[in-house]
Amino acid sequence: MFYVVGLGLGDVKDITVKGLEIVKKCDRVYLEAYTSILIDDIIDDMKSFYGKDIIIADREMVESASDVILHNADVEDVALLVVGDPYGATTHTDLVLRARQSNIPTKVVHNASILNAAGCCGLQLYNFGETVSIPFWTESWKPDSFYDKIVENKSRGLHTLCLLDIQVKEPTLESLTKKTRQYLPPRFMSVSQAAQQLVEITKTKPGLSTADLAVGIARVGSETQHIVATSLSNMTETDMGKPLHSLIIVGNIHPVESEFLAQYSTQELTG
């Protein structure tokens, strides 16, 4: 059986009882380590708690060498551990499809993800529109299609959860043509960086204002969880500490949402 097991939001004990029982019986256990990361470096804690060796599955293995993960999964029990929920990224959906195409039995164990835990700030999940991803800009590449989706959500009175870029084991441009790859240091977008890019877009495209209400959430589900509600302009200067961060652009705000969100606010909440 090929299992895809959600780990939740980052603590070693966030795994479900069902997930833990599966991991303990598996012959091989992989940890997918590029679409998201654990809030703290707890690999050794995982090995101890699960009673298993953990094989790190980086981007190259997951995207280009998935056969390594699926090898013998028709006669062995193999688990891929995923931070959050298994279906939070299309990469995991693709792996499940590949397994089924190879006649390998599959089973998915769900868990909490940022897609539902974003409600920790008090904004109601059924008031969210389409989720967007904000990538790091470069000098020559500044995509802004995500902005249009945020504006569309806001025009309907809906909030937008913005997932912020994570770059782990990204090869340098110089090494792409070489036999030996060299990698850039890991980078994790902060809410201030995301807000800065959004503010830059507002200079040439209508739809958002720098006075619009935004919510920054960091390290959700951990002991150091941090939430700030302020204007998009102020968010550009907000330091929320260590990753992972997510940004929410607020649509129309209900009185109950406003009351809950006020405890994290640096301004009057008008949405």
Side-chain angles (χ1 to χ4, degrees):
M1 180 77 72
F2 175 58
Y3 296 95
V4 188
V5 180
L7 294 180
L9 293 167
D11 189 282
V12 67
K13 295 182 179 179
D14 282 352
I15 192 171
T16 64
V17 174
K18 180 189 291 186
L20 181 59
E21 289 175 347
I22 287 171
V23 169
K24 284 183 175 294
K25 75 172 186 176
C26 278
D27 299 286
R28 283 178 288 128
V29 180
Y30 294 88
L31 172 63
E32 191 269 275
Y34 96 88
T35 60
S36 188
I37 62 163
L38 298 168
I39 291 172
D40 295 306
D41 186 7
I42 57 173
I43 300 300
D44 289 339
D45 292 340
M46 291 175 68
K47 292 178 180 179
S48 175
F49 188 68
Y50 301 155
K52 289 285 182 179
D53 192 27
I54 306 294
I55 305 167
I56 301 298
D58 60 18
R59 179 173 187 168
E60 292 178 2
M61 177 180 286
V62 174
E63 290 191 339
S64 304
S66 60
D67 290 346
V68 173
I69 299 174
L70 297 176
H71 179 66
N72 279 350
D74 55 339
V75 294
E76 296 179 329
D77 287 324
V78 178
L80 178 68
L81 308 183
V82 175
V83 178
D85 185 82
Y87 287 137
T90 54
T91 298
H92 312 134
T93 305
D94 183 61
L95 265 175
V96 171
L97 286 173
R98 293 187 198 183
R100 290 175 178 170
Q101 288 166 0
S102 299
N103 296 318
I104 297 171
T106 62
K107 184 172 289 186
V108 171
V109 181
H110 294 283
N111 210 320
S113 78
I114 192 61
L115 295 175
N116 61 280
C120 64
C121 65
L123 297 175
Q124 298 299 309
L125 294 179
Y126 50 74
N127 290 334
F128 278 75
E130 182 178 355
T131 298
V132 305
S133 296
I134 300 182
F136 278 114
W137 280 354
T138 67
E139 288 298 320
S140 59
W141 188 70
K142 296 185 178 182
D144 61 7
S145 59
F146 55 86
Y147 181 86
D148 299 327
K149 295 178 181 179
I150 296 172
V151 172
E152 173 62 22
N153 285 341
K154 194 166 180 62
S155 72
R156 299 166 57 201
L158 301 175
H159 315 312
T160 305
L161 173 62
C162 304
L163 305 179
L164 309 187
D165 202 359
I166 296 172
Q167 295 187 352
V168 179
K169 205 172 182 181
E170 289 285 324
T172 63
L173 290 176
E174 295 78 8
S175 71
L176 290 176
T177 58
K178 300 178 180 178
K179 292 183 179 180
T180 303
R181 289 287 176 89
Q182 294 178 318
Y183 299 96
L184 296 167
R187 290 204 301 166
F188 309 98
M189 183 180 285
S190 67
V191 292
S192 61
Q193 290 171 310
Q196 287 165 14
Q197 291 186 185
L198 286 171
V199 167
E200 187 66 26
I201 298 172
T202 65
K203 296 176 181 178
T204 56
K205 299 182 72 169
L208 293 184
S209 162
T210 57
D212 283 339
L213 181 62
V215 180
I217 52 178
R219 300 174 300 284
V220 174
S222 76
E223 293 297 323
T224 63
Q225 175 176 297
H226 188 34
I227 302 172
V228 172
T230 189
S231 68
L232 185 60
S233 177
N234 287 342
M235 194 65 76
T236 65
E237 300 178 353
T238 300
D239 182 0
M240 298 193 67
K242 294 169 58 178
L244 294 170
H245 296 185
S246 297
L247 181 67
I248 300 169
I249 304 301
V250 179
N252 295 345
I253 190 165
H254 186 277
V256 174
E257 293 177 305
S258 180
E259 181 180 357
F260 196 99
L261 196 58
Q263 62 190 304
Y264 308 117
S265 178
T266 64
Q267 68 179 79
E268 182 179 354
L269 303 183
T270 57

